[in-house]
Structure formats: structure tokens, C-alpha cells
Amino acid sequence: MSGDPAVEEQRGDQQSRDMDADSNKESTDIHEKDPQGAPETGEGPLPEEESWTAVDPSMVEKLSIGLLEICLPSLQKSKSSLDDLLQNQQFLTESVQQENSKFADCRDIEELSKTMNQARKYHTKLINLKKEMNLLSDKGVKLKRRALKIQQQKQKEDLQRVQQRMREQEREKMLEAKVVKRSQSPT
């Protein structure tokens, strides 16, 4: 052996080809010696399992290229169909998201409408409270004025009573003084 892997590989390939030729020869011999005397059809039992090392690499390459030529167009069509489907799916997903956001906006608008209705109710209540407070304030002012007038009138009446008493007291003093003066003069 030379030790060069390329040379050894070529020798192995040559040996495997020789073995394939021998096995093909044996299989033809088997067909020719058919014990039942059946006519030779060229088909017969398959040769015993061949090892993968016995396959010619150029044959594998040709078979691979042929398989690719057969399958590649349909695979490319499938790929383009899948790309279209993915693009359509993305478009539909975006559309659904937009519709969902519209529904969310509708919910927000409904909530805003409810809030505005509540604000109107509270505003109406506030206006009514202000009116009521103004009425109460006016009544309070009127009551204060009335209380002041009543107080002034009481003070006036009290002053008049006091003045009346003072007049009566003065009159009594004057009457008493006159009486006393007469009694003291005759003496």
C-alpha cells in the first residue's frame, strides 16, 4: 500500500466495480439456470445487498441532479405559494389588528360618552345647588335686614319707654315739688 488516501480510494472504487460486475454475472447465471424451466425474462431476484461504498460517485451526482431537476420546479412553486400565503397572512393579521384598535376606540368613545353624560348631570346638579345657595343667601340677607329692623325698632321702643319713664319721673318730681313748696311757704 502506498499510504496516499486518493490512490487507496481509487483502488477501493475499482474493487467495488469488479464486485458489482461479478454479482451481476452471478445473477444472470441464476436466471439462466431456472429450475422450473420458466422462460428467461431478464428479471430475477435482486442481487444481494450492495454496500454503499460500491456506488459510483458520478452516478450519485447524476441521480441527484436528475432528482433536483424533477423536484425543484414544484418545490419552487410551493415556496412562492408559501411566500404569498405568508404575505397574505401578514396582511390579514395587520387588518385584524386595525379592526381591533377600531373596536377599542369605540369602547373608548363609549366610555367618554358615559363620562360626558355624568359630567352633564353633575353640572346640572351644581347649577341647581348654586341657585339654591343664592336663594338661601338672599333669604339670609333678608332675614338679617329684618332682624336689624326689628332690633332697631326694639331699641327705638326701648328708648321711647325710657324717655317716657323719664318724662313721667320728671312730671312726678315737678308735681311733688309743687306740693312741697306750698307747704313750706305759709310758715
Side-chain angles (χ1 to χ4, degrees), residues 6 47 68 78 81 84 88 97 112 137 176 178 186:
L68 282 176
S78 298
S81 296
D84 289 343
N88 289 339
Q97 287 174 349
L112 180 63
S137 177
E176 284 179 16
K178 288 183 184 178

Side-chain angles (χ1 to χ4, degrees), residues 34-185:
D34 190 4
Q36 295 176 356
E40 191 176 317
T41 59
E43 296 177 5
L46 293 175
E48 296 192 22
E49 285 188 25
E50 297 176 1
S51 66
W52 285 101
T53 57
V55 178
D56 186 18
S58 65
M59 183 63 76
V60 170
E61 184 177 339
K62 288 178 183 177
L63 287 173
S64 300
I65 290 172
L67 181 65
L68 282 176
E69 286 176 356
I70 292 171
C71 297
L72 193 61
S74 65
L75 288 175
Q76 288 175 340
K77 286 180 184 177
S78 298
K79 183 183 182 301
S80 67
S81 296
L82 280 175
D83 289 341
D84 289 343
L85 285 173
L86 287 174
Q87 185 178 6
N88 289 339
Q89 183 181 14
Q90 181 67 28
F91 175 74
L92 288 174
T93 302
E94 289 174 2
S95 297
V96 167
Q97 287 174 349
Q98 288 175 354
E99 292 300 317
N100 284 342
S101 68
K102 286 179 184 178
F103 284 128
D105 290 344
C106 287
R107 285 187 209 123
D108 291 343
I109 290 172
E110 287 175 10
E111 287 181 23
L112 180 63
S113 176
K114 287 179 184 178
T115 305
M116 292 302 291
N117 286 337
Q118 283 182 338
R120 281 189 207 118
K121 287 178 186 177
Y122 290 137
H123 185 262
T124 305
K125 285 182 180 181
L126 180 63
I127 289 173
N128 290 337
L129 281 174
K130 281 185 177 181
K131 286 179 183 177
E132 192 174 332
M133 287 175 63
N134 286 336
L135 287 173
L136 290 175
S137 177
D138 289 343
K139 283 183 181 179
V141 168
K142 288 178 182 177
L143 284 174
K144 283 182 183 179
R145 286 181 190 162
R146 186 173 174 199
L148 185 61
K149 283 182 183 179
I150 291 173
Q151 186 180 8
Q152 288 174 350
Q153 192 170 357
K154 274 189 173 185
Q155 287 176 352
K156 194 175 183 181
E157 287 175 2
D158 287 343
L159 183 61
Q160 285 176 353
R161 276 188 223 138
V162 168
Q163 287 176 353
Q164 183 70 24
R165 277 188 207 149
M166 288 177 81
R167 279 187 232 147
E168 286 177 10
Q169 284 176 357
E170 274 184 37
R171 199 186 235 178
E172 282 179 19
K173 282 184 185 179
M174 285 174 68
L175 287 175
E176 284 179 16
K178 288 183 184 178
V179 176
V180 174
K181 286 184 183 177
R182 284 187 192 181
S183 52
Q184 289 178 356
S185 357

